[in-house]
Amino acid sequence: MSQPRNRWIVRIILALAVLAFVGVSVIPIISALNNTSSPNQEATGTRTSVSSSDPTSKLADEVRGYELVLQREPENQTALKGLLQARLQLLSLNQGDVQGVIEPLEKLAKLNPEQSEYGVLLAQAKQQMGDKEGAAQAYRGILSTRPGDLKALQGMVALLLDQQRPEAAVGLLQETLSNAAQVNTIQPGSVDTVAVQVLLGTVHASQKRYPQASSTYDQAIKNDPKDFRPVLAKAMLLKEQGKVEEAKPLFDSALALAPAQYKDEINKAAAPPPSPPAAPEEGSGE
């Protein structure tokens, strides 16, 4: 299992306590763009040299520079990525609007069908704009060719939960698991069944269906006893229910199984909740 996929599902698990996984925002995807190739400065030589230290002005000039390149070369991917990143950074400064990132994302998704990241970002942007059907279409487009794509699955599940359709979310994940063996026969490793089971358990947990969530995590643990993710997910579930003592051995097990880069996060998740401050004793004022 690749590290990016692993790290992503761990973040989902660690978000379980506050069920933050159902929130989809465009702004955090700026960091995801850092995993793509950065714009080549030489390829964008028309950008204006900016002396201003004002980041908004600098980014606005970058946007204009990339737009000039794209007027001549509409499919210049270096310029498209630069334009996208600059507009996202402007959004993070509360400048511009989400609509501005949709056009470059649509072009990048079309030019790079093998890279689902752009399709996922496009779906997130559409959802942010309130175009839920457009977001659903973008997710379905990815899942039709890559049914095990975890980020597309998570995004589609989040969208369905936002629409108050938990049964549809459960059905999507159950169908993915039902087809996993066949899909993995055609393209080995394309569906991370344990990760999908963890996501399914998290959906149950978001609906307070704790027995179903626990059972789903147990099945994932049975499928791969050496995988720390479902163990951690069950520990988080128990802690959320206030069963701190039951959760402790599971946190210990997850810690023993997890790669080194996740141990600090697991330790933080396992930490007991802070005790409420003690009430002052009566008559102790003087």
Side-chain angles (χ1 to χ4, degrees):
M1 176 172 41
S2 69
Q3 288 301 320
R5 292 171 68 184
N6 201 356
R7 185 172 295 279
W8 175 83
I9 197 68
V10 170
R11 286 201 301 267
I12 297 303
I13 297 166
L14 293 173
L16 175 61
V18 293
L19 300 175
F21 97 110
V22 299
V24 178
S25 171
V26 171
I27 302 304
I29 66 180
I30 296 174
S31 60
L33 291 174
N34 293 331
N35 296 325
T36 65
S37 57
S38 298
N40 187 323
Q41 298 292 331
E42 294 179 2
T44 57
T46 59
R47 287 196 300 172
T48 305
S49 176
V50 180
S51 59
S52 171
S53 60
D54 177 20
T56 302
S57 298
K58 182 176 180 180
L59 288 167
D61 284 345
E62 286 186 6
V63 166
R64 286 190 289 271
Y66 289 125
E67 288 173 339
L68 287 173
V69 174
L70 291 168
Q71 285 177 13
R72 299 192 308 269
E73 306 171 54
E75 296 188 351
N76 183 315
Q77 292 201 49
T78 299
L80 284 168
K81 292 174 186 177
L83 176 63
L84 176 59
Q85 186 156 348
R87 285 180 173 171
L88 283 168
Q89 289 173 331
L90 281 170
L91 278 177
S92 72
L93 298 172
N94 296 318
Q95 301 293 321
D97 55 51
V98 177
Q99 183 64 44
V101 307
I102 289 180
E103 183 179 358
L105 275 174
E106 286 177 333
K107 289 183 178 179
L108 286 166
K110 183 178 180 180
L111 292 168
N112 301 276
E114 74 289 351
Q115 295 181 29
S116 63
E117 179 184 60
Y118 292 116
V120 170
L121 301 184
L122 174 61
Q124 290 180 346
K126 285 180 177 290
Q127 186 172 353
Q128 190 84 357
M129 290 291 295
D131 182 6
K132 294 183 178 180
E133 182 53 38
Q137 288 177 0
Y139 287 130
R140 291 191 198 105
I142 297 167
L143 294 172
S144 65
T145 56
R146 302 180 63 168
D149 189 286
L150 285 174
K151 290 186 179 180
L153 278 171
Q154 185 266 339
M156 188 66 186
V157 164
L159 179 62
L160 291 169
L161 291 178
D162 184 54
Q163 295 174 317
Q164 305 299 315
R165 299 176 61 197
E167 299 309 321
V170 169
L172 170 64
L173 295 170
Q174 288 177 334
E175 181 182 7
T176 303
L177 290 169
S178 297
N179 296 332
Q182 181 181 356
V183 172
N184 283 337
T185 299
I186 298 169
Q187 188 177 357
S190 58
V191 179
D192 183 346
T193 55
V194 172
V196 177
Q197 287 174 314
V198 168
L199 185 54
L200 175 59
T202 306
V203 172
H204 284 310
S206 75
Q207 304 302 304
K208 307 298 182 185
R209 301 171 184 169
Y210 297 129
Q212 293 96 319
S214 182
S215 176
T216 304
Y217 296 144
D218 285 341
Q219 185 61 51
I221 293 169
K222 182 180 178 181
N223 287 347
D224 190 348
K226 295 183 178 181
D227 194 320
F228 77 101
R229 297 172 300 171
V231 180
L232 175 59
K234 186 171 182 181
M236 294 290 292
L237 182 71
L238 290 170
K239 184 180 177 183
E240 182 183 334
Q241 297 174 79
K243 301 177 180 179
V244 177
E245 291 304 314
E246 290 181 50
K248 187 178 185 306
L250 289 172
F251 276 121
D252 291 342
S253 179
L255 193 64
L257 292 169
Q261 64 264 38
Y262 301 116
K263 293 185 185 293
D264 287 340
E265 293 176 89
I266 294 172
N267 278 324
K268 290 178 184 177
S275 301
E281 295 183 12
E282 291 187 16
S284 62
E286 301 209 12

